[in-house]
Amino acid sequence: MPILFYVNLVSFIASIIMMFISIRYYFSKESFKNPYLFFMISTSFFWNLDIFFEIFNVPSDQYLLPVFFILFQTIPALMISYGLKFRYLYIAESALFAIGMATSVLLIFSPDLSLAIGILSTFNVIFSITFMRKKYSTLISFTKRSRILSYMVFYGLFSVLEAIIAWLWIYKNSMWPYIAIMNSILIPVYLYTVINLVYEKQLIRISTIFLKNVLYGAIISTLISSILMISYYTNFYFSKNSGIIQFFSMTFVVIFISFLVFGDYLQKIDTFFERLLRTGRGYKREKTIDFVKKSLEIDSLEELNSLVLGYCKSVLNVEDVELFFKEDDGNYTSIKRHLTKNDVPFNDVEKIVDLYNVTFSGIFFEKELFVWMKNAGKVEGFMVLGHKRSGRYSPEDLEWIETLSNHLTFFLSRYRSVQRVLKVEKTMIFQERMAAIGKLSSGVTHEIRNPLNIISTSLQMLKNSSDPKENEKLWKYIEEELSRINSILENFLYFARQKPPVIEDGDPSEIVKKISLLLGESASKKNIEIKTYLPDAPFTSKFDKTMLMEILLNIGTNALDAVEFGGWITFKLENLGNFFRISVSNNGKPIPSSEIQHIFEPFYTTKETGTGLGLSIVYNYINAMKGHVEVKSDEKETTFSVTIPTEVKI
């Protein structure tokens, strides 16, 4: 049997395997289904059958190969237009399919029409690639552009090749047996590539470098073969009886000129394959720059671990990666587990440890590389890498690992500094809270102790007193002090609860008017004048009405206590656009500058009967509504300015 038989047999078996793979994946994948892939794989059987018939001298050229050339040109284009939803390309390819099949049938009766098969194949290639090129230039989506570019390159490569083979078949070229062997080898490779493109999944693990070499080699081989063909016919045209020296000289000139013309395009093709198949230093450099930029935007080990995993998967082709951070106590922590320093069986003398070359790797016996991360001689952590998905680590891989570890060392050093600052802040916050709790407890104890002493004394006197009037007076003292204790506890709970504001529409002017009326009666007893200054145009805001009432009532009550007989109090409301401000002023006793910073502290008061919680409640309510308060006091007047957003958002 000739070698063509065995090559074609292997090609036929490979196509059958591709058919089973595509069927299995078609029914197991739910997101996308493309039935034209089956038709395309089935088309390859026409080629294999025709080659078998040719080997066994069964006449078939007039009906099998024309059908193959038409189907193998139009069905991939139909598959692409169906998958990418190119309506006009789908209609045009359907028309070419119908015309081609009709021409194939007519060939049985009129062999002279074989030229039409070559014309249709050539036209189909030019039209489909031109259409996809136009779509590529108009689309904005990066994902769709990438898919179109991938389809355009692979479809263009093989469809141009099949068109050339169709013309060689039409003119009965003497190189046909060798061309048949080449095409039988390339068809399964083409089918495998198309399956990967359609389902975006590597069904069979083949090294990306090997795949790149196959595709790149096919392009170079096609180019050189075309150049040799041009050289042969050019040499034959100028000198029909030329010798080997003339043929070599002509071929050298043609190849040299071709590489001068097409050299840039070969470089672009090489760059494209590097991006598509994720190989080459250019692609890895871009991924590294992207990794560094993203690492500067994150601040947690979980996010960093995810980023490192994605980087190693795309650049190093490894998915088993674990990153450990060295704690201040000398132990190590990853997002999965915690290790003591005794669990690490290596010293940090050698930065990258090949675990296959050490006698004992401990708990890392299933891993392949151990990488220390050191900053100025100080260990910040380490990284453990498992086996690559294909092959072993190369010297180039170790260079990228070295680069990665340097960036990770910088991140872990920065992370350590941030964690130490946060730890100090937490300690300070805890200490401040404990101090505040102590101060609150002391304040509550102090405030309650005085009325309890009065109650205790009154009860002792009641035991020894027989005077009804005296007893009635003592019972009145007890009720007053109990009421005072109740008031202290209510204010304390009011202060401690800090309920979120209930936002509703309202006019701040109405609140100011209501407070003026409430304080009016008490103010008239001391001949105090209360004035209100409201904007000419009323406005509606979103705020908590109850909280604003309590704020103004507390500040107004304090103003009444501070103002002497015949003084004044003013309420001024201003609309500032995104905020409104209410200023409460009085000409009473000023607040010493040394005490202004303490007036909002719990239980701080200068009044004999006050609890010291009123202004603390005011401060909490203002903060709850995202506002702020300013206090100014001098000999002329004291002013509390409360600023609240026009639309309070919780």
Side-chain angles (χ1 to χ4, degrees):
M1 286 292 176
I3 189 172
L4 178 59
F5 171 81
Y6 297 105
V7 172
N8 194 58
L9 179 62
V10 173
S11 175
F12 180 70
I13 294 171
S15 297
I16 293 175
I17 293 172
M18 294 296 171
M19 175 63 81
F20 280 114
I21 290 174
S22 63
I23 291 173
R24 180 184 65 82
Y25 203 64
Y26 178 87
F27 289 105
S28 65
K29 188 175 179 67
E30 299 178 356
S31 60
F32 178 77
K33 300 177 186 294
N34 197 323
Y36 286 96
L37 185 60
F38 302 139
F39 301 140
M40 181 180 170
I41 297 175
S42 302
T43 302
S44 66
F45 298 144
F46 285 95
W47 170 268
N48 299 124
L49 290 175
D50 182 84
I51 298 299
F52 283 134
F53 288 159
E54 184 180 327
I55 293 172
F56 293 106
N57 298 318
V58 178
S60 62
D61 278 10
Q62 295 304 319
Y63 47 88
L64 278 183
L65 276 187
V67 172
F68 166 77
F69 288 128
I70 293 299
L71 293 180
F72 217 65
Q73 290 285 349
T74 56
I75 288 181
L78 285 170
M79 179 186 67
I80 294 171
S81 59
Y82 175 83
L84 298 177
K85 297 179 173 58
F86 292 159
R87 180 182 177 185
Y88 294 112
L89 179 62
Y90 187 85
I91 294 172
E93 290 297 331
S94 299
L96 286 173
F97 172 80
I99 295 171
M101 293 306 295
T103 306
S104 300
V105 173
L106 293 175
L107 268 174
I108 300 174
F109 307 102
S110 178
D112 296 335
L113 288 174
S114 60
L115 191 64
I117 298 296
I119 295 173
L120 284 172
S121 297
T122 306
F123 175 78
N124 179 75
V125 172
I126 296 173
F127 173 78
S128 57
I129 292 179
T130 303
F131 182 92
M132 285 188 280
R133 178 70 182 85
K134 186 177 180 181
K135 277 287 185 181
Y136 174 82
S137 62
T138 56
L139 282 174
I140 299 176
S141 170
F142 173 78
T143 304
K144 288 186 177 180
R145 282 167 61 91
S146 299
R147 288 189 66 189
I148 291 177
L149 185 61
S150 301
Y151 279 127
M152 197 161 50
V153 170
F154 287 104
Y155 171 74
L157 172 66
F158 283 95
S159 59
V160 168
L161 183 62
E162 294 304 320
I164 294 172
I165 292 174
W167 283 107
L168 293 175
W169 168 75
I170 291 170
Y171 285 103
K172 309 297 182 184
N173 190 278
S174 59
M175 300 289 290
W176 178 252
Y178 303 103
I179 294 170
I181 291 175
M182 178 192 70
N183 205 39
S184 295
I185 294 172
L186 289 178
I187 284 175
V189 176
Y190 182 38
L191 296 177
Y192 167 78
T193 305
V194 170
I195 292 174
N196 288 339
L197 287 175
V198 170
Y199 292 117
E200 298 179 348
K201 184 178 179 68
Q202 191 171 345
L203 302 178
I204 304 171
R205 294 210 178 277
I206 295 179
S207 170
T208 53
I209 297 177
F210 173 76
L211 184 58
K212 175 192 170 184
N213 292 339
V214 169
L215 298 173
Y216 193 70
I219 293 177
I220 299 299
S221 300
T222 303
L223 180 62
I224 293 178
S225 300
S226 302
I227 292 172
L228 288 173
M229 191 179 300
I230 294 170
S231 300
Y232 174 79
Y233 283 109
T234 304
N235 187 56
F236 183 78
Y237 177 79
F238 286 107
S239 178
K240 294 185 178 180
N241 297 318
S242 62
I244 187 67
I245 301 298
Q246 291 85 350
F247 177 74
F248 173 80
S249 301
M250 184 65 69
T251 303
F252 176 82
V253 171
V254 174
I255 291 177
F256 182 75
I257 294 174
S258 299
F259 269 89
L260 287 179
V261 174
F262 297 106
D264 289 341
Y265 292 99
L266 291 175
Q267 187 176 1
K268 290 179 180 179
I269 291 172
D270 187 56
T271 302
F272 168 77
F273 281 132
E274 284 186 355
R275 291 177 179 274
L276 184 67
L277 302 176
R278 300 180 178 181
T279 60
R281 299 188 70 87
Y283 169 81
K284 294 177 180 179
R285 190 180 299 110
E286 288 183 5
K287 283 292 183 181
T288 303
I289 294 173
D290 183 58
F291 170 82
V292 173
K293 289 180 179 178
K294 290 181 178 178
S295 67
L296 295 174
E297 300 172 357
I298 61 178
D299 56 3
S300 70
L301 289 179
E302 290 78 9
E303 292 176 302
L304 178 66
N305 194 80
S306 176
L307 195 62
V308 170
L309 186 60
Y311 176 85
C312 292
K313 187 176 180 180
S314 60
V315 174
L316 300 174
N317 197 27
V318 57
E319 294 180 340
D320 184 9
V321 183
E322 192 170 4
L323 181 65
F324 287 86
F325 171 69
K326 186 177 181 180
E327 302 286 356
D328 290 337
D329 59 4
N331 297 321
Y332 299 92
T333 302
S334 73
I335 62 171
K336 297 179 181 178
R337 52 181 169 164
H338 180 79
L339 301 179
T340 65
K341 51 189 175 184
N342 297 326
D343 293 328
V344 181
F346 318 110
N347 56 40
D348 58 355
V349 176
E350 189 177 358
K351 185 170 184 179
I352 300 179
V353 181
D354 185 352
L355 299 180
Y356 279 169
N357 293 330
V358 296
T359 56
F360 177 72
S361 57
I363 60 174
F364 306 113
F365 68 95
E366 293 182 343
K367 310 296 181 180
E368 191 164 343
L369 290 179
F370 184 99
V371 184
W372 286 107
M373 283 169 283
K374 297 166 63 177
N375 180 25
K378 183 180 179 181
V379 174
E380 299 289 348
F382 63 84
M383 178 174 57
V384 185
L385 293 90
H387 305 293
K388 295 184 66 171
R389 289 184 290 182
S390 59
R392 290 289 304 275
Y393 290 98
S394 64
E396 183 183 348
D397 290 333
L398 297 183
E399 291 179 12
W400 292 110
I401 292 173
E402 177 85 17
T403 303
L404 173 63
S405 68
N406 291 336
H407 292 302
L408 290 177
T409 301
F410 170 76
F411 177 91
L412 293 179
S413 178
R414 177 168 61 90
Y415 177 78
R416 182 184 306 281
S417 300
V418 171
Q419 291 302 307
R420 285 174 177 171
V421 171
L422 291 176
K423 188 175 181 180
V424 172
E425 287 181 351
K426 287 181 180 178
T427 303
M428 291 177 63
I429 291 172
F430 177 76
Q431 290 175 348
E432 288 176 359
R433 286 180 177 174
M434 294 304 294
I437 291 172
K439 189 172 182 179
L440 286 173
S441 302
S442 175
V444 171
T445 303
H446 175 74
E447 291 295 328
I448 293 178
R449 182 178 292 140
N450 291 334
L452 285 177
N453 287 336
I454 294 173
I455 292 172
S456 177
T457 303
S458 299
L459 289 173
Q460 290 294 331
M461 291 176 67
L462 280 170
K463 290 181 180 179
N464 302 323
S465 175
S466 58
D467 186 357
K469 290 183 179 181
E470 185 68 21
N471 291 347
E472 184 179 352
K473 187 177 181 180
L474 291 172
W475 281 114
K476 187 176 181 180
Y477 287 159
I478 292 172
E479 289 177 0
E480 288 176 353
E481 296 308 316
L482 286 173
S483 177
R484 183 180 171 191
I485 291 173
N486 185 62
S487 177
I488 293 170
L489 293 176
E490 281 185 352
N491 284 333
F492 178 74
L493 292 174
Y494 218 39
F495 167 77
R497 284 195 189 105
Q498 298 186 9
K499 293 182 179 179
V502 178
I503 308 303
E504 54 185 329
D505 292 333
D507 185 355
S509 302
E510 297 299 324
I511 305 296
V512 173
K513 292 177 184 177
K514 190 178 293 185
I515 294 298
S516 299
L517 289 174
L518 288 174
L519 298 176
E521 184 177 352
S522 299
S524 63
K525 294 178 181 179
K526 296 175 64 176
N527 196 25
I528 296 173
E529 181 183 9
I530 296 180
K531 300 178 183 179
T532 57
Y533 298 93
L534 305 176
D536 296 332
F539 61 95
T540 302
S541 301
K542 294 181 180 292
F543 59 94
D544 189 310
K545 294 181 181 179
T546 304
M547 283 189 176
L548 187 58
M549 284 277 293
E550 289 292 331
I551 291 169
L552 297 182
L553 188 60
N554 270 293
I555 295 175
T557 302
N558 286 345
L560 279 176
D561 294 337
V563 175
E564 297 178 354
F565 188 87
W568 53 264
I569 299 173
T570 63
F571 290 86
K572 183 180 180 181
L573 172 63
E574 298 173 272
N575 184 1
L576 305 178
N578 293 331
F579 298 87
F580 65 87
R581 181 166 60 210
I582 302 175
S583 301
V584 183
S585 304
N586 68 82
N587 65 341
K589 184 180 179 181
I591 304 173
S593 57
S594 60
E595 295 184 7
I596 287 180
Q597 60 182 340
H598 301 294
I599 60 175
F600 294 108
E601 294 178 2
F603 300 108
Y604 183 85
T605 181
T606 58
K607 295 187 290 186
E608 296 180 0
T609 58
T611 63
L613 288 174
L615 288 181
S616 296
I617 294 171
V618 166
Y619 188 78
N620 286 342
Y621 283 173
I622 293 173
N623 280 339
M625 291 194 287
K626 313 299 182 186
H628 62 274
V629 58
E630 294 181 25
V631 182
K632 295 180 180 178
S633 185
D634 54 33
E635 294 296 330
K636 293 182 179 180
E637 65 178 29
T638 299
T639 302
F640 281 73
S641 297
V642 178
T643 305
I644 305 292
T646 306
E647 291 192 12
V648 176
K649 296 179 180 179
I650 302 176

